[in-house]
Amino acid sequence: MAIDNEQLSVLPAAFQQQLPEVLSYSPYISGQLERHPEWLALLAESHAYANGELVQAIAAEIAVIDDETSLLREVRRIRHRETVRIAFRDLAGLAELTEVMRDVSDLADAMVGSVLDWWHKQLCEKFGTPRNRSGAEQRMLVLGMGKLGGHELNFSSDIDLIFAFPESGETDGRKNLDNQTFFTRVGQKLINTLGQVSGDGFAYRVDMRLRPFGEVGALALSFDAMEHYYQTHGREWERYALIKARVMAGNPQDGVELMQRLRPFVYRRYLDYGAVEQLRDMKMMINREAKRKGKKQDVKLGQGGIREIEFTAQVFQLMRGGREHSLQQTSLLKTLEILADKALLSVPDKERLCEAYFYLRRTENRLQMWNDEQTHSLPEDAHQQQQLARAMGAADWPEFMHTLDAYRDQVSSVFQRVFAVEDEEDSPADNGLKRLWPTLPEEALPLLEDCGFIPADNTLQQLQTLQSSRLYSSLTELAKSRLDRLMPLLLATCSGQESPTLALSRSLQVIQAIARRSGYIAMLADQPAALEQFIKLTHDSIWITTQLTQHPILLDNLLDTSQLYKPLNRQELSAALAQEMAAIDAEDTGMVMERLRQFKLTQTLRVAAADISDLLPLMIVSDQLSWIAEAILDYAVQHVWQIMTAKAGVPRYELDGEMHDADFGIVAYGKLGGIELGYSSDLDIVFVHDSSGKKQHTNGNKQMENPVFFARLAQKIIHTLSTFTHDGRLYEIDTRLRPSGSSGLLVTGMDALAQYQREKAWVWEHQALLRSRIITGSPALRERFETMRREILCQPRDKAGLRTEVIEMRRKMWDSLSSRDASRFDLKKDHGGITDIEFIVQYLILAHAHEYPQLVQWSDNIRQLESLQQCDLLTPEMAAKLADIYRTLRDHVHKLALQEQETVVAAELFAEEQDYVRQCWAQIMT
């Protein structure tokens, strides 16, 4: 390039030193500066633009243009001026990649938005302003797709656009047009202005093929037509494309509406495992095309290239974005950060992808800066290779290629793990079972027998029934191909279980339930570890099989075995629930109920998985199930409280001349109170409040008497917990242990509760109080309840009369609830079982608590037994033996629950334990 030395000499020395090297990296910059030497001064003074400055500056330049000829010329001049500036700053080491991508994207935004406004004004002058049927003015929206949508446009890229407008209608001029025709003309003018080749080149190649119906579709559609298209005709690749969609021009409020209407198509409410298969298939097709076209050295499409990084991020967005709203991002780098924060990608993998992305994108940009061409292929010319290597900081081409290949290997490694990509030649060897499906050959029976399926004819019958079923024949081709791919893998995995026949029978129960939701079938086929866990859990537990059948969303948990067998503690459960609920609208009661049920199902599955794998002792299983219930109750109270106080205000009362905020709490009884919850236990709870004195009403604009407020609060909590939805119900709620039972007030004041317990409660109600604890409410309310509980339970009692009442109550239970069959033993209800131990403990504590107040400290039976031993009311041997029997029987109850069996066993199974409990009963209670 010939540069006027005199002109150059007045520019900063640092710029004079940088320029020759930069020009050696980009003949494009050289050519443009030859045509526009006045740009040298602009380059010397260039600086990073603040957010939005570039768009505003260009908009001001284009707004004052008078005619179309000038518009075409100025658009190209501005585009070249800014790309020269951007390239110079990049090649001179003055700009980070993030600045380069932002500026290139902002330049496109400015050009599209400014030219759109220019043509909108011109056509409005000719045809009038487009309006909807109500007379409101209409403007066209432009969606930027791909890298443009993510503010990550590469240096010399075409731009993928979609045009839309809010509503049908027509212009209000003398020559009126319907809105679609008007905006189609605006779109055509925009495309022509940017893409027409003139003596100044072109501004952008505009690609409209991503619009509904592609090249044969209308150029601009109304929001209703757009929504209808995606709901009716939308394809999987269009979901992928719309992840990056961003409103880059038009009315921002209209843009928000459109994106909200398109979001349900892009992001599924459930975890969409079909996305893995879809993107993997797309990538494999790209790989085959790249091989065919010799694009091995393509930094975008080749192995380990930019597209693999994009797919790695976007598969998680498609799969989880409907539930994890934070993943609904257009920016790749932000998405990778979120994936690491949520442990969906490891931090090292995220860092590897980010490092590689920066290197690959800088390489791609500098390839394109060489001659302003949209290329992603490494050069074959030796001179250009050397200049590219130097521009990337390498001494020569081999050093550059060594670095580039290392980054591509990093990307490929992560991509392979995420997508489980497998070339056909690398597929596992045929283990024989592949021949069984879908052909079911004559040699099926001996092959099934060899693999442990006994009786083989039973297994073959199950396979034939599935293959000939209406379900199988009604599957879509995609769903059927996924099931056909899974079945041999399913059979092979079942053959490795203790009972292959049982494993297959139970797993097929789930498979048939989820066959039409074929994304889950794809997940099991693609994730060997998930398939292994699925088979193991269904083989070991019919309860888990039933849960997976009724609630396929639980299959999501099988992907992460590191978390599946590690249930959360009480604090972690509350934190996880808060995070889950933070992503949804708290005023959407239906969604709140749905997410609470899914949370319970997920956490209970984790407990059950650890339980059947013998990773949790009995006491911890009950703790876990109780903690899940507590976390849900705590959230439900907070949620309903916030909704009600937002409308009615906070309940208050006046006492001793001072105003106080009233408090509300839940007291747990029974299994929840005793921290001994089972898998299907209902919740025995009592609602309490501390309001008393005068002026008992809320302080909102719509005041409500406190008793009414608390009654409605409790009713809404019960509704939230016990209403059936498609995910079932959270818990069956039993409030009959409140004062006066079902005929009493739903919420009891603390004063009234204490008075009732002192003056009217039966002995059995004091027994129940022993198993109670308050689980929600302020510290002051909790302390007040505990004080009342301690006072009531520590009252002196006539031991003989107490014993008689307890025995009589237990005898009534034997008469009405026991099995009445000497060959069978009901672990809970029969004489010598769990309830006998509980009654022995409760009698001893009620009889002696006035002497030993420490006896009432705990609400669970095991620690109550320990307290009785410490007070010498039970011998160490008897206390330890009863505690062991109690644990053993309850552990077996849990195991029976996981197999959906009743708590009745053969009498001889626990004959020794039953006899010992009966001996203790006879010794203590008679």
Side-chain angles (χ1 to χ4, degrees):
M1 169 189 169
I3 297 179
D4 188 329
N5 289 331
E6 184 175 345
Q7 186 180 20
L8 189 61
S9 65
V10 300
L11 299 177
F15 175 74
Q16 296 182 45
Q17 293 175 351
Q18 290 168 331
L19 186 61
E21 184 176 8
V22 169
L23 295 181
S24 72
Y25 300 150
S26 175
Y28 166 68
I29 296 179
S30 297
Q32 288 298 318
L33 290 179
E34 284 182 3
R35 297 182 65 185
H36 302 281
E38 70 275 12
W39 289 353
L40 283 167
L42 296 177
L43 294 183
E45 298 170 0
S46 70
H47 61 278
Y49 279 103
N51 190 32
E53 280 186 353
L54 179 60
V55 176
Q56 293 171 7
I58 293 174
E61 287 187 82
I62 292 179
V64 298
I65 297 173
D66 294 327
D67 59 86
E68 183 176 356
T69 301
S70 299
L71 178 68
L72 289 171
R73 184 179 61 251
E74 286 303 299
V75 162
R76 283 146 185 73
R77 184 187 66 82
I78 293 170
R79 188 261 177 183
H80 286 303
R81 182 192 71 203
E82 294 304 322
T83 51
V84 165
R85 178 187 63 81
I86 293 167
F88 175 81
R89 287 184 56 76
D90 181 39
L91 294 170
L94 301 175
E96 296 291 336
L97 175 66
T98 50
E99 178 190 323
V100 174
M101 292 191 300
R102 187 192 67 235
D103 277 5
V104 173
S105 302
D106 282 354
L107 176 59
D109 279 15
M111 296 299 228
V112 171
S114 300
V115 173
L116 174 67
D117 289 344
W118 197 92
W119 279 113
H120 181 88
K121 179 181 177 182
Q122 298 297 315
L123 293 179
C124 281
E125 291 175 358
K126 184 175 182 180
F127 300 108
T129 300
R131 299 185 183 280
N132 64 12
R133 292 184 176 90
S134 300
E137 182 178 351
Q138 303 278 287
R139 296 296 298 261
M140 189 168 83
L141 289 181
V142 180
L143 297 184
M145 309 295 285
K147 290 186 174 69
L148 175 57
H151 284 107
E152 297 159 347
L153 198 62
N154 48 40
F155 180 77
S156 183
S157 175
D158 59 4
I159 52 176
D160 295 289
L161 307 179
I162 293 177
F163 300 149
F165 58 93
E167 297 181 60
S168 298
E170 61 183 21
T171 62
D172 59 7
R174 286 185 298 174
K175 293 182 178 181
N176 64 340
L177 297 175
D178 66 86
N179 285 355
Q180 183 167 33
T181 301
F182 178 89
F183 289 120
T184 296
R185 293 190 183 183
V186 172
Q188 289 168 339
K189 292 290 188 181
L190 171 62
I191 294 168
N192 184 64
T193 299
L194 296 177
Q196 179 182 323
V197 179
S198 69
D200 299 306
F202 62 91
Y204 289 101
R205 295 170 291 269
V206 179
D207 192 334
M208 299 296 298
R209 289 175 296 175
L210 293 180
R211 70 185 188 270
F213 296 112
E215 292 178 311
V216 299
L219 197 63
L221 286 177
S222 69
F223 289 3
D224 284 345
M226 290 272 287
E227 185 176 18
H228 176 75
Y229 168 80
Y230 288 115
Q231 288 178 348
T232 308
H233 304 287
R235 291 157 291 181
E236 284 298 317
W237 69 261
E238 289 176 297
R239 291 180 60 212
Y240 166 74
L242 284 172
I243 284 179
K244 305 287 280 186
R246 172 176 62 86
V247 177
M248 60 182 295
N251 187 318
Q253 290 181 330
D254 290 340
V256 171
E257 178 189 346
L258 177 61
M259 298 314 295
Q260 286 177 341
R261 293 173 69 166
L262 297 183
R263 191 166 290 120
F265 168 69
V266 183
Y267 298 106
R268 305 295 195 238
R269 292 177 67 183
Y270 53 87
L271 294 197
D272 182 14
Y273 294 105
V276 180
E277 183 181 51
Q278 294 287 335
L279 288 185
R280 183 178 58 239
D281 289 347
M282 285 175 63
K283 182 63 175 91
M284 293 177 74
M285 182 174 66
I286 290 170
N287 287 351
R288 288 193 294 270
E289 188 68 6
K291 281 184 181 179
R292 187 179 70 81
K293 293 184 177 181
K295 289 191 174 183
K296 184 177 180 182
Q297 294 303 336
D298 189 306
V299 296
K300 176 182 177 181
L301 302 179
Q303 186 171 352
I306 296 166
R307 184 55 52 85
E308 288 191 0
I309 303 175
E310 293 171 340
F311 275 20
T312 300
Q314 287 158 359
V315 71
F316 287 107
Q317 291 181 280
L318 282 177
M319 188 194 307
R320 298 177 177 271
R323 290 176 58 81
E324 296 283 356
H325 289 195
S326 60
L327 287 173
Q328 295 181 13
Q329 296 279 341
T330 58
S331 166
L332 174 68
L333 294 174
K334 286 182 182 177
T335 300
L336 291 174
E337 289 291 341
I338 294 167
L339 291 174
D341 289 343
K342 294 187 173 297
L344 296 171
L345 270 183
S346 70
V347 173
D349 277 353
K350 183 267 294 187
E351 291 175 349
R352 292 184 190 103
L353 291 179
C354 287
E355 289 172 2
Y357 182 74
F358 274 78
Y359 195 83
L360 289 166
R361 286 302 307 274
R362 283 200 301 269
T363 301
E364 178 186 47
N365 278 338
R366 288 168 185 183
L367 279 170
Q368 296 179 358
M369 288 171 185
W370 178 261
N371 203 27
D372 189 24
E373 292 177 342
Q374 187 184 18
T375 180
H376 311 281
S377 298
L378 296 176
E380 297 180 0
D381 175 75
H383 173 66
Q384 188 181 350
Q385 287 179 346
Q386 180 62 22
Q387 295 309 103
L388 175 62
R390 290 181 58 228
M392 291 299 295
D396 51 32
W397 184 250
E399 181 182 327
F400 164 73
M401 286 301 298
H402 176 78
T403 303
L404 178 67
D405 286 342
Y407 281 121
R408 293 196 290 196
D409 287 346
Q410 287 181 191
V411 173
S412 183
S413 175
V414 177
F415 181 82
Q416 296 281 341
R417 288 199 299 275
V418 170
F419 283 87
V421 175
E422 182 181 272
D423 291 333
E424 292 182 7
E425 56 267 27
D426 296 330
S427 60
D430 185 357
N431 60 5
L433 289 172
K434 283 188 176 182
R435 303 197 304 276
L436 284 179
W437 190 274
T439 56
L440 297 177
E442 292 183 2
E443 66 271 21
L445 281 175
L447 184 56
L448 286 169
E449 286 182 354
D450 289 345
C451 292
F453 292 96
I454 307 296
D457 55 350
N458 184 302
T459 298
L460 182 59
Q461 179 63 44
Q462 290 186 67
L463 296 176
Q464 290 171 336
T465 299
L466 174 59
Q467 190 187 62
S468 61
S469 68
R470 180 178 299 177
L471 168 68
Y472 184 74
S473 62
S474 67
L475 293 177
T476 65
E477 286 303 313
L478 177 62
K480 189 176 291 185
S481 68
R482 287 173 171 174
L483 182 58
D484 290 345
R485 186 157 56 90
L486 171 65
M487 286 302 295
L489 302 172
L490 183 81
L491 287 164
T493 308
C494 287
S495 70
Q497 299 299 308
E498 180 180 343
S499 173
T501 305
L502 178 65
L504 180 64
S505 177
R506 289 183 175 177
S507 62
L508 284 180
Q509 180 179 325
V510 182
I511 295 301
Q512 292 178 76
I514 65 173
R516 288 190 174 91
R517 295 174 66 173
S518 64
Y520 286 116
I521 301 294
M523 181 267 281
L524 293 173
D526 292 340
Q527 303 288 337
L531 180 60
E532 179 72 33
Q533 297 311 310
F534 167 66
I535 299 299
K536 177 182 183 299
L537 293 175
T538 53
H539 173 272
D540 290 349
S541 169
I542 186 59
W543 181 87
I544 291 180
T545 302
T546 301
Q547 294 299 304
L548 293 174
T549 302
Q550 295 175 349
H551 311 291
I553 194 171
L554 292 173
L555 290 164
D556 303 343
N557 298 276
L558 302 181
L559 279 179
D560 190 354
T561 55
S562 66
Q563 299 298 318
L564 177 61
Y565 296 99
K566 293 181 180 178
L568 305 178
N569 63 34
R570 178 64 181 86
Q571 291 72 32
E572 291 169 339
L573 282 165
S574 289
L577 181 55
Q579 183 179 18
E580 177 83 9
M581 305 309 286
I584 65 173
D585 181 358
E587 295 186 2
D588 186 343
T589 301
M591 182 60 71
V592 168
M593 293 170 66
E594 177 183 312
R595 288 298 176 87
L596 283 174
R597 282 152 180 74
Q598 291 173 0
F599 179 81
K600 183 205 172 184
L601 290 168
T602 297
Q603 301 306 327
T604 305
L605 177 67
R606 294 173 73 169
V607 175
D611 187 5
I612 64 173
S613 301
D614 294 326
L615 298 176
L616 288 179
L618 162 71
M619 303 304 291
I620 302 301
V621 170
S622 293
D623 285 352
Q624 293 285 164
L625 296 173
S626 300
W627 291 340
I628 293 169
E630 287 179 37
I632 290 172
L633 283 170
D634 194 37
Y635 177 84
V637 171
Q638 294 178 43
H639 170 70
V640 178
W641 178 274
Q642 289 172 1
I643 290 176
M644 288 195 61
T645 54
K647 296 178 180 179
V650 176
R652 306 200 78 209
Y653 63 92
E654 181 183 323
L655 192 63
D656 298 329
E658 293 185 9
M659 294 300 297
H660 303 271
D661 288 347
D663 199 10
F664 174 88
I666 294 179
V667 179
Y669 282 79
K671 290 184 175 65
L672 180 58
I675 322 176
E676 296 171 353
L677 216 58
Y679 287 103
S680 302
S681 297
D682 58 3
L683 302 185
D684 293 297
I685 58 177
V686 170
F687 300 108
V688 297
H689 68 80
D690 66 354
S691 180
S692 62
K694 304 176 182 177
K695 300 180 181 179
Q696 297 188 50
H697 57 74
T698 63
N699 63 359
N701 293 330
K702 296 182 179 180
Q703 288 187 353
M704 190 182 295
E705 297 298 315
N706 287 356
V708 176
F709 176 91
F710 287 125
R712 291 183 182 177
L713 179 70
Q715 288 166 350
K716 288 180 180 292
I717 291 169
I718 292 172
H719 174 78
T720 301
L721 298 172
S722 60
T723 299
F724 271 101
T725 71
H726 66 275
D727 286 315
R729 68 178 170 191
L730 280 166
Y731 295 99
E732 185 173 345
I733 303 298
D734 191 338
T735 62
R736 291 175 296 176
L737 287 175
R738 66 186 188 270
S740 302
S742 299
S743 62
L745 294 174
L746 186 57
V747 188
T748 308
M750 284 300 303
D751 290 339
L753 178 62
Q755 183 179 3
Y756 177 87
Q757 288 287 350
R758 278 194 299 268
E759 300 174 5
K760 299 181 180 180
W762 298 82
V763 168
W764 68 264
E765 290 179 287
H766 288 173
Q767 289 179 254
L769 193 63
L770 262 175
R771 302 265 290 169
S772 71
R773 60 194 177 93
I774 188 165
I775 58 174
T776 75
S778 68
L781 183 66
R782 291 171 183 253
E783 178 57 33
R784 188 171 173 185
F785 173 81
E786 291 300 337
T787 299
M788 182 277 297
R789 177 179 178 274
R790 190 162 50 248
E791 174 194 331
I792 298 300
L793 295 177
C794 290
Q795 293 177 118
R797 291 174 173 82
D798 173 44
K799 295 178 183 177
L802 174 67
R803 181 187 290 111
T804 299
E805 287 199 49
V806 172
I807 291 173
E808 182 60 24
M809 175 61 66
R810 186 69 186 109
R811 196 174 304 280
K812 289 179 180 178
M813 296 171 68
W814 289 332
D815 290 343
S816 61
L817 301 175
S818 61
S819 61
R820 302 178 182 277
D821 183 346
S823 66
R824 292 161 64 81
F825 175 40
D826 189 312
L827 301 174
K828 292 182 179 179
K829 301 169 184 176
D830 279 350
H831 190 22
I834 290 171
T835 306
D836 276 8
I837 300 175
E838 292 172 344
F839 268 54
I840 291 171
V841 169
Q842 290 160 13
Y843 162 72
L844 288 173
I845 293 178
L846 290 176
H848 298 282
H850 66 287
E851 303 170 83
Y852 306 102
Q854 62 269 37
L855 288 173
V856 304
Q857 179 179 359
W858 309 112
S859 62
D860 63 285
N861 210 65
I862 295 298
R863 284 185 293 190
Q864 288 173 347
L865 279 167
E866 293 173 356
S867 297
L868 288 168
Q869 180 212 318
Q870 292 165 2
C871 295
D872 295 324
L873 297 171
L874 284 176
T875 65
E877 178 187 359
M878 183 179 288
K881 183 73 171 176
L882 285 174
D884 285 344
I885 293 172
Y886 191 74
R887 291 191 193 95
T888 298
L889 297 184
R890 282 192 53 234
D891 187 37
H892 202 72
V893 167
H894 280 314
K895 285 182 168 57
L896 292 172
L898 289 175
Q899 301 306 329
E900 294 189 343
Q901 296 178 14
E902 296 180 354
T903 59
V904 179
V905 299
E908 62 269 17
L909 188 60
F910 294 107
E912 182 180 336
E913 289 84 354
Q914 186 180 16
D915 286 345
Y916 186 82
V917 173
R918 285 180 170 180
Q919 291 172 22
C920 291
W921 180 273
Q923 180 179 336
I924 296 170
M925 303 301 293
T926 58

